[in-house]
Amino acid sequence: MIYHIGVVSLGCAKNLVDTETMLGLLHREGFVITNKEEKADILIVNTCGFIESAKQESVENILELAEYKEKGNCKLLIVTGCLAERYKDKIMEEMPEVDAVVGTGNYHEIAEVINQAFEGHKIQKVGNQDYSPEEGLPRIQSTPAYIAYLKIADGCDNHCTYCIIPKLRGRYRSRKMESIIQEAKQLAQNGVKELLIIAQDTSRYGIDLYNEYRLDKLLNELCKIEDIEWIRLHYCYPENITEKLIQTMAKQRKICNYIDIPIQHCSDEVLKKMGRSSTKKQLFTLISQLREKIPSITIRTSLIVGFPGETKIQFKELVEFVEDIQFDRMGVFKYSQEEDTPAAKLQNQIDEETKQMRYERLMEIQSKISGQVNNKKVGKYFDVLIEGFDANSGYYYGRTYADSIDIDGKVFFESNQNHHTGSFVRVKVLSAEKYDLIGEVSNEFSE
């Protein structure tokens, strides 16, 4: 019998790659993938369990899909990913509709789990967090054909005091460089133009396998793949950004002048409590170095407000830091008190109202900075990766090197020509909004 499978993927891009691998494995075993949940015989929710809001979203999705066991075709409901790893027993006890839970290091066993569940067994496959994937596992892209995430490692060795990821994902495990390059070549053959390099800590790549940081060497090899046009770096912890990596970024045309550096705070006292290795001085030095060596670089960061014990003075220090640095892109998160993390046991937990006020203050500052950054682009020319056409406005839209998919802004532009999604076009910026740019197609070259 042919079974139809529907999958909902939640959380981060690393989780999405696991979802795509599960889809590839299931397709190889003869299952049919469907995006119509009401027609699926088997429904899978690949969950996130990082912070409270993510856990709530995961639970809501599980309960929503559970209704298809009563009203639809669904015969099996399977929960995978971080929530399954973290709360396997609770899920099975409190959600009787769930037939199996599969942890972060067991997703490669998904076909076997389904077969066992069809025999009437309730299945738990968890506790294999340090699993290193077999090479060459099949994968079905769920992203647009021209873009793909390339996961170069799994797990984390940083043990930040607010973070549960090491317990859910295990120790840091770099993939072999040859395997990554082979996967990238296959993605290029499938039509991918942009690779987004991801891991829990991308800049740590190679230290566990080769006893040295090798992200620069990996990038040099990826740049040799003919059909890849853009390579974008995410989740580069500041402590491991080497001089060689900066030199490689400056030298290689295909590497976008864009880097995502999650710094979380600037106060030395708060950083120490967070279990972070950087100091404020080191962060200033690194950012100055990046901007000196790569003048057109776009720097994205993420910050946490309301960490236990964060004083008014320390928050003011963070505000001044953000105003001084002028990050091109910035995400702000309110601290979430997560069980089984050291920070959850710290005294002086901050109330939600204060967290919200501090969050809004930083976002207000960043909104102004973003507007100023965009205004400086008016009159300039950029290569834009086309993502679609909005029939209502009559504008095409896409992204520049300075914008990553889903989290950054877009460029909307007019053109009298027909353009294909996934192709590149030169655009002159005519006006700017806080997060987006407006322009027109041009054959001119930037200065």
Side-chain angles (χ1 to χ4, degrees):
M1 182 176 176
I2 297 175
Y3 291 107
H4 290 73
I5 291 187
V7 180
V8 173
S9 189
L10 304 171
C12 66
K14 283 90 71 180
N15 217 35
L16 181 63
V17 173
D18 293 347
T19 297
E20 293 178 342
T21 302
M22 283 193 286
L23 289 173
L25 290 166
L26 292 168
H27 178 72
R28 188 175 69 181
E29 294 297 317
F31 294 93
V32 176
I33 311 302
T34 179
N35 58 6
K36 295 181 179 179
E37 295 163 355
E38 69 276 8
K39 294 188 176 180
D41 302 297
I42 304 154
L43 286 168
I44 299 173
V45 189
N46 196 16
T47 60
C48 178
F50 181 44
I51 57 177
E52 186 60 34
S53 59
K55 289 187 286 186
Q56 289 176 0
E57 182 186 17
S58 293
V59 170
E60 288 168 5
N61 273 270
I62 294 168
L63 294 175
E64 185 177 318
L65 293 187
E67 294 183 9
Y68 288 106
K69 291 194 78 173
E70 295 180 11
K71 303 175 183 178
N73 292 331
C74 183
K75 301 173 181 65
L76 294 179
L77 177 59
I78 299 173
V79 178
T80 65
C82 289
L83 196 78
E85 187 72 50
R86 192 172 182 183
Y87 298 110
K88 55 185 182 296
D89 293 328
K90 273 191 176 182
I91 292 171
M92 298 297 273
E93 289 170 7
E94 299 178 11
M95 299 180 182
E97 302 93 342
V98 174
D99 298 285
V101 292
V102 180
T104 57
N106 301 82
Y107 62 87
H108 59 292
E109 301 177 79
I110 188 65
E112 176 187 338
V113 167
I114 287 173
N115 290 330
Q116 291 177 354
F118 266 124
E119 294 175 1
H121 304 295
K122 291 276 187 176
I123 309 297
Q124 283 189 355
K125 285 278 187 180
V126 294
N128 193 28
Q129 298 100 318
D130 288 338
Y131 164 73
S132 294
E134 305 165 35
E135 306 302 343
L137 289 178
R139 176 180 170 188
I140 293 179
Q141 273 179 254
S142 59
T143 50
Y146 54 85
I147 186 170
Y149 293 100
L150 186 62
K151 186 160 70 167
I152 64 174
D154 212 336
C156 189
D157 288 346
N158 288 315
H159 299 286
C160 302
T161 60
Y162 52 81
C163 185
I164 195 69
I165 292 298
K167 292 184 179 180
L168 302 182
R169 290 276 178 180
R171 60 180 173 79
Y172 192 86
R173 290 104 62 207
S174 299
R175 292 177 57 195
K176 293 179 181 177
M177 192 179 297
E178 297 81 7
S179 171
I180 297 170
I181 294 165
Q182 184 56 45
E183 182 179 5
K185 287 179 178 178
Q186 183 60 56
L187 290 168
Q189 289 176 12
N190 294 344
V192 169
K193 300 296 182 185
E194 179 181 5
L195 289 175
L196 292 93
I197 310 301
I198 58 171
Q200 201 63 41
D201 180 354
T202 309
S203 48
R204 184 181 285 267
Y205 174 75
I207 193 68
D208 54 316
L209 272 185
Y210 307 110
N211 295 316
E212 64 176 1
Y213 297 120
R214 281 203 181 181
L215 183 56
D216 59 301
K217 294 180 180 179
L218 173 62
L219 291 171
N220 280 320
E221 292 301 313
L222 292 174
C223 285
K224 295 176 184 177
I225 302 174
E226 185 175 347
D227 293 327
I228 297 299
E229 295 291 336
W230 281 356
I231 299 172
R232 188 181 301 277
L233 291 177
H234 278 283
Y235 315 124
C236 291
Y237 276 56
E239 301 84 3
N240 307 323
I241 296 175
T242 63
E243 177 66 32
K244 286 183 178 179
L245 175 58
I246 296 173
Q247 290 173 354
T248 299
M249 292 182 67
K251 178 182 70 174
Q252 291 286 8
R253 177 190 65 82
K254 291 187 176 184
I255 302 175
C256 293
N257 290 343
Y258 177 106
I259 190 166
D260 175 14
I261 311 173
I263 66 169
Q264 311 306 2
H265 215 281
C266 74
S267 162
D268 288 349
E269 295 90 347
V270 176
L271 287 168
K272 186 175 181 181
K273 282 187 185 179
M274 287 180 166
R276 307 283 294 195
S277 301
S278 292
T279 64
K280 183 179 179 179
K281 183 179 179 181
Q282 289 170 337
L283 293 172
F284 264 120
T285 300
L286 172 63
I287 293 166
S288 298
Q289 187 180 17
L290 283 164
R291 286 176 168 164
E292 178 187 349
K293 301 291 184 182
I294 313 170
S296 62
I297 194 164
T298 290
I299 300 177
R300 161 171 275 280
T301 196
S302 57
L303 301 173
I304 295 174
V305 295
F307 188 80
E310 182 190 50
T311 64
K312 291 180 180 179
I313 293 174
Q314 289 166 343
F315 177 68
K316 182 182 178 184
E317 184 180 0
L318 182 59
V319 166
E320 292 172 351
F321 182 80
V322 168
E323 291 175 334
D324 287 343
I325 292 293
Q326 300 272 300
F327 289 104
D328 303 272
R329 309 280 186 263
M330 188 176 83
V332 181
F333 298 89
K334 293 174 285 185
Y335 168 74
S336 177
Q337 186 178 7
E338 293 300 313
E339 59 185 310
D340 299 327
T341 62
K345 301 170 186 175
L346 292 175
Q347 294 182 347
N348 300 318
Q349 296 286 329
I350 307 295
D351 63 88
E352 291 302 317
E353 184 180 357
T354 301
K355 290 180 192 176
Q356 183 66 26
M357 289 173 58
R358 292 178 180 180
Y359 166 82
E360 291 175 1
R361 176 78 175 112
L362 281 186
M363 291 307 296
E364 179 186 7
I365 293 168
Q366 185 58 30
S367 176
K368 293 177 181 176
I369 293 171
S370 181
Q372 292 166 1
V373 168
N374 273 358
N375 282 330
K376 292 177 182 178
K377 296 177 180 179
V378 173
K380 295 185 178 180
Y381 299 81
F382 294 91
D383 291 326
V384 172
L385 177 57
I386 300 172
E387 295 186 305
F389 178 76
D390 183 353
N392 292 327
S393 65
Y395 281 87
Y396 286 92
Y397 57 90
R399 292 178 290 108
T400 72
Y401 78 89
D403 304 293
S404 193
I405 190 170
D406 292 336
I407 58 174
D408 295 323
K410 294 186 182 299
V411 181
F412 295 87
F413 61 93
E414 293 181 302
S415 177
N416 295 324
Q417 308 167 43
N418 291 322
H419 301 283
H420 298 291
T421 298
S423 61
F424 288 86
V425 69
R426 199 71 165 169
V427 171
K428 180 181 180 179
V429 177
L430 300 178
S431 63
E433 298 176 354
K434 284 183 180 179
Y435 299 106
D436 299 320
L437 300 172
I438 311 296
E440 65 182 6
V441 167
S442 174
N443 293 322
E444 300 279 346
F445 290 95
S446 59
E447 298 174 1

